[in-house]
Amino acid sequence: MIATTIGTRLNSLQSRNNNNLQIVITLLLAILAGILSPALFATDAITIDLGLLEDGQTTGDSYIYLTDSSQTLTLQDVLWSKQWNTPQAGITNRGPGKDVTWMRFSLHNPEQETREIILEYVDPAAEQIDLYSFTSGEDSNIVTQNFTYKQAVDTRPVAFYRPAFQLSIGPEKQVEVLIRILPGNDFLMHSFSSFRIWHTPAFDQYTHKELSLLIILLCAEIFMGLATIILFLILRQKIFLYYAFFAFTAASLFAAFSGLWQYFIAQNHYELWMVVFQISLCQVASILFVREFLQTKIHMPNIDLLLLAALGLEVLGMILNVFGQPYLSRVIIDFTAIGYFILIPVGLIAHRKGVPHALLFTASWIVFIVGMAMASARLRGYIPDSFTSQWLIYIGGFVEISLLATIMILSVRRLEQEKRLAESRYRQGLLQAADELSVKVEEQTRLLEVAKEKAEAEARIDLLTGLSNRRAFMEAIKQFMARANRNNVKKLYLGIIDLDHFKNINDTYGHSAGDAVLRKMGRVFKETVREVDVVSRIGGEEFAVIMESANPTGVIELCERLRHTVEHTVTVFDKQEIKVTISMGLAQYEPGNKIDKLMRKADKTLYLAKLQGRNQVLLHGQS
């Protein structure tokens, strides 16, 4: 019976992977030998009662762990290993290194219904995490879930910006969990033996809130960079360009550290070396900003040389990283980061030398350093891992960027104050000069007023004809239309006038003769129309006249008189007599019409007058 059972189970396992097959065979043989009862393995896992657990609570000290320096231990090896360790109270960070950490614990569901559980790793950065789970006391399959940092987000066990795994635990069942954590092979990475435990609905609810907050912080940093870019374009001060560069790279690093970069932007094959590259780029931006802000080249040349050396090292690290040496780049980053502490006394020295806002810069840099130091202490296991310590790097970086943005705003105010001070000094100089040379100043003021009035008049007058120009015409017709809307007694008419065959005059007598004709017509129009009317040159040989009348007959008579006067006017130029005629299109304004519609009506009527032989006045609506 036993042999038959073993054969049946072995046949059912032929389609599964070899590793799981070996494990099941080993379990069955051990059961037959009677050496595993009542325990399943060499070392019992610590059980976590889900009924007593709050959502988001970590595995805490309720696990055992094993360190694999060779990275060669298989699941079968660790199942039978007796080298499991009990963690020191409150210590879940295994520090930086390449050692593989194995975790082992059990999850017990005391309820009468199935629980859907999420196990969430407490940090986004891990090269690979493998999770193995099986129900205690059953010959069920071992379920394997795998996370790798560079895999596409939608192919992860849970599509999330940190490693996460989903487990289903049946009613009153207990699931054994073994987790293999590989922090990184290319360079030393920190490793945690800590997972948060969530019911799936609570996980979704919390992560939505967390994601919203992360996006708000990220967008705020990006907005600060964009706003500073605008300031740079307006003021052309390099300090604003360097700050924008720093803000953008800090936002990029924020997204990388939090896992948002891979979650939203580089969703496929984002690797750890890219995070190192972003750190280097952010440090390059910070050095450039610090040099410009603290004016080290002017006030502290020796410090400036050190900053340039650090800048060169960072650029070298970026190059090494791109060419496959991320470990060396990481070493340069850590070495350069030590120099951040030096910037505190440098900021104080800059303050003593009169650099504006150097004290506020020093304060913001202290906030940044504290955040970085606390984050580094968390990653190296010097302080306990918690939500607070995890968020320190995000909050510290955001506060520092915000304080620096405040400095940028204060810099704008300082520039404005300097401008006002310069203007004040300039005004005082003018007043002093006025006291000494009052007569000349008064004369100069009078001349300036005359010039201003002349300039304003010329801005509305066509210099060739002496008539008002198109700008003045547009202003006048708006006033006439407003008045026509209020007063229905007098109607408003617009006449568009064109000199007939004016091009022939230019071609026959020359443009100077054409100018003489235009000047003559300007005088004729001004002398012929009434004072209440407005006549303007609106372009080339085209003129416009605005008239008010109670009936169209008076308007047509005035226009005919103007046409007749022009027809009998002779322009003498270079001993040659030149005569010209005009065609005019008239349109009546209807309340509510716009200027464009009124002018189109007059233009259309002018066109008809030309088609009918020129040298005539035609009212819109007449044949």
Side-chain angles (χ1 to χ4, degrees):
M1 177 67 69
I2 295 176
T4 303
T5 303
I6 294 175
T8 302
R9 297 195 185 282
L10 288 176
N11 289 334
S12 68
L13 291 172
Q14 287 178 355
S15 61
R16 299 171 187 160
N17 63 68
N18 292 332
N19 188 39
N20 287 351
L21 180 61
Q22 292 174 0
I23 294 170
V24 173
I25 293 173
T26 303
L27 291 173
L28 291 173
L29 293 175
I31 292 171
L32 289 174
I35 63 173
L36 289 178
S37 181
L40 285 176
F41 301 112
T43 305
D44 289 332
I46 298 177
T47 300
I48 300 174
D49 190 342
L50 295 178
L52 304 176
L53 201 69
E54 294 183 2
D55 282 308
Q57 187 173 335
T58 67
T59 48
D61 302 327
S62 301
Y63 69 96
I64 54 179
Y65 74 95
L66 183 151
T67 302
D68 175 17
S69 301
S70 64
Q71 299 186 5
T72 58
L73 293 180
T74 64
L75 177 61
Q76 184 176 353
D77 294 333
V78 299
L79 279 171
W80 295 103
S81 175
K82 296 183 179 181
Q83 304 301 317
W84 292 94
N85 302 298
T86 301
Q88 186 178 350
I91 302 299
T92 59
N93 193 325
R94 303 298 151 198
K98 296 184 179 181
D99 294 346
V100 170
T101 300
W102 285 84
M103 291 180 64
R104 182 177 168 192
F105 54 89
S106 299
L107 297 174
H108 175 64
N109 176 16
E111 304 295 335
Q112 296 296 322
E113 58 184 22
T114 299
R115 289 195 176 190
E116 301 296 331
I117 298 298
I118 298 290
L119 290 178
E120 175 204 357
Y121 190 54
V122 295
D123 194 78
E127 184 173 311
Q128 182 175 338
I129 299 178
D130 301 313
L131 184 142
Y132 306 92
S133 61
F134 55 91
T135 303
S136 299
E138 297 183 4
D139 291 338
S140 58
N141 293 331
I142 295 179
V143 178
T144 302
Q145 299 183 59
N146 173 264
F147 165 90
T148 57
Y149 192 79
K150 64 181 179 181
Q151 75 184 117
V153 172
D154 55 3
T155 63
R156 293 177 174 180
V158 176
F160 187 53
Y161 45 89
R162 286 192 293 271
F165 305 88
Q166 190 163 14
L167 297 175
S168 181
I169 304 177
E172 298 183 341
K173 296 293 184 180
Q174 181 167 306
V175 170
E176 306 289 336
V177 179
L178 289 96
I179 303 174
R180 178 182 184 271
I181 304 169
L182 171 63
N185 268 326
D186 292 335
F187 46 83
L188 300 179
M189 289 292 293
H190 44 274
S191 175
F192 293 89
S193 54
S194 179
F195 281 77
R196 298 189 187 102
I197 305 174
W198 303 87
H199 288 90
T200 300
F203 174 79
D204 293 338
Q205 184 178 16
Y206 171 79
T207 53
H208 287 164
K209 294 178 181 178
E210 182 188 62
L211 182 60
S212 299
L213 180 57
L214 288 172
I215 291 175
I216 289 171
L217 294 177
L218 180 62
C219 290
E221 291 190 8
I222 295 174
F223 173 77
M224 294 176 196
L226 291 173
T228 317
I229 282 286
I230 295 173
L231 288 176
F232 167 73
L233 294 175
I234 295 173
L235 302 175
R236 297 295 177 179
Q237 297 280 334
K238 285 192 298 183
I239 184 67
F240 298 105
L241 182 62
Y242 289 142
Y243 173 78
F245 182 29
F246 179 54
F248 288 141
T249 55
S252 170
L253 194 56
F254 176 96
F257 280 170
S258 62
L260 295 183
W261 187 275
Q262 186 174 14
Y263 192 64
F264 286 112
I265 304 172
Q267 297 183 346
N268 298 307
H269 308 299
Y270 185 64
E271 301 183 26
L272 288 170
W273 70 265
M274 299 177 185
V275 181
V276 178
F277 184 87
Q278 288 169 284
I279 297 173
S280 299
L281 191 62
C282 185
Q283 289 190 342
V284 167
S286 66
I287 293 171
L288 289 172
F289 173 72
V290 167
R291 287 186 67 240
E292 185 68 22
F293 185 86
L294 296 182
Q295 302 175 22
T296 55
K297 186 176 181 180
I298 299 172
H299 300 295
M300 293 164 280
N302 292 331
I303 296 296
D304 190 67
L305 290 176
L306 289 176
L307 291 175
L308 287 174
L311 184 64
L313 279 175
E314 288 293 347
V315 173
L316 175 62
M318 293 170 64
I319 295 172
L320 291 172
N321 194 354
V322 170
F323 283 94
Q325 297 295 329
Y327 174 75
L328 294 177
S329 180
R330 176 68 180 269
V331 171
I332 290 174
I333 287 171
D334 292 341
F335 176 77
T336 307
I338 298 173
Y340 284 169
F341 293 92
I342 302 176
L343 293 179
I344 296 176
V346 170
L348 296 175
I349 294 172
H351 170 68
R352 291 182 57 187
K353 292 182 176 293
V355 175
H357 312 304
L359 274 183
L360 186 55
F361 167 84
T362 305
S364 68
W365 205 257
I366 290 174
V367 171
F368 174 70
I369 289 175
V370 169
M372 291 293 290
M374 295 293 285
S376 179
R378 167 186 173 265
L379 296 179
R380 285 162 174 76
Y382 300 142
I383 61 175
D385 176 60
S386 65
F387 282 107
T388 302
S389 60
Q390 181 181 348
W391 275 78
L392 275 174
I393 188 170
Y394 308 141
I395 299 299
F398 177 76
V399 171
E400 191 246 358
I401 287 291
S402 300
L403 288 174
L404 291 179
T406 303
I407 293 175
M408 294 298 98
I409 295 172
L410 292 176
S411 297
V412 174
R413 290 185 59 188
R414 176 177 56 83
L415 292 173
E416 183 66 23
Q417 289 172 355
E418 291 177 353
K419 177 184 176 183
R420 290 178 180 175
L421 180 60
E423 290 175 349
S424 175
R425 290 174 178 172
Y426 178 70
R427 284 194 297 269
Q428 290 176 0
L430 287 180
L431 290 174
Q432 185 177 356
D435 291 337
E436 297 173 356
L437 304 170
S438 58
V439 176
K440 290 184 178 181
V441 170
E442 290 175 2
E443 178 63 21
Q444 187 67 26
T445 302
R446 187 186 65 80
L447 293 175
L448 288 174
E449 289 295 331
V450 171
K452 178 183 176 183
E453 293 174 0
K454 182 179 179 181
E456 290 178 350
E458 289 178 349
R460 288 172 171 77
I461 292 179
D462 178 62
L463 298 180
L464 181 62
T465 62
L467 302 175
S468 59
N469 59 17
R470 187 180 187 89
R471 171 184 171 185
F473 163 75
M474 297 302 292
E475 293 175 354
I477 197 169
K478 289 178 182 178
Q479 295 174 358
F480 273 83
M481 289 170 66
R483 188 162 61 207
N485 289 331
R486 295 191 302 267
N487 182 7
N488 294 324
V489 176
K490 290 187 176 182
K491 305 298 182 181
L492 176 64
Y493 295 87
L494 170 65
I496 303 295
I497 305 169
D498 191 73
L499 303 187
D500 297 330
H501 303 297
F502 184 74
K503 184 176 182 300
N504 292 339
I505 296 174
N506 284 332
D507 293 342
T508 304
Y509 302 103
H511 287 279
S512 296
D515 290 346
V517 172
L518 290 174
R519 281 193 293 271
K520 186 74 171 182
M521 292 301 104
R523 289 193 295 271
V524 170
F525 291 159
K526 187 182 295 186
E527 293 169 358
T528 306
V529 300
R530 301 169 301 181
E531 291 185 0
V532 295
D533 301 328
V534 174
V535 61
S536 307
R537 182 190 179 196
I538 59 175
E541 67 273 19
E542 193 173 36
F543 298 83
V545 59
I546 309 170
M547 299 164 286
E548 289 179 323
S549 179
N551 59 78
T553 304
V555 171
I556 294 175
E557 290 177 355
L558 172 63
C559 294
E560 283 291 347
R561 184 166 66 252
L562 180 60
R563 182 194 65 77
H564 183 268
T565 303
V566 170
E567 183 180 13
H568 293 85
T569 297
V570 176
T571 301
V572 178
F573 179 81
D574 199 16
K575 299 181 180 180
Q576 298 184 75
E577 294 183 352
I578 304 172
K579 299 183 70 175
V580 69
T581 61
I582 61 172
S583 298
M584 180 184 300
L586 278 172
Q588 180 180 335
Y589 170 72
E590 297 177 3
N593 285 170
K594 294 185 178 180
I595 296 176
D596 291 345
K597 184 174 182 180
L598 180 62
M599 293 189 70
R600 282 197 301 271
K601 288 166 60 177
D603 277 329
K604 183 178 179 181
T605 308
L606 171 64
Y607 179 73
L608 291 174
K610 286 179 171 291
L611 287 180
Q612 294 178 11
R614 293 184 171 84
N615 192 22
Q616 60 181 284
V617 176
L618 189 62
L619 177 64
H620 181 75
Q622 291 182 345
S623 57

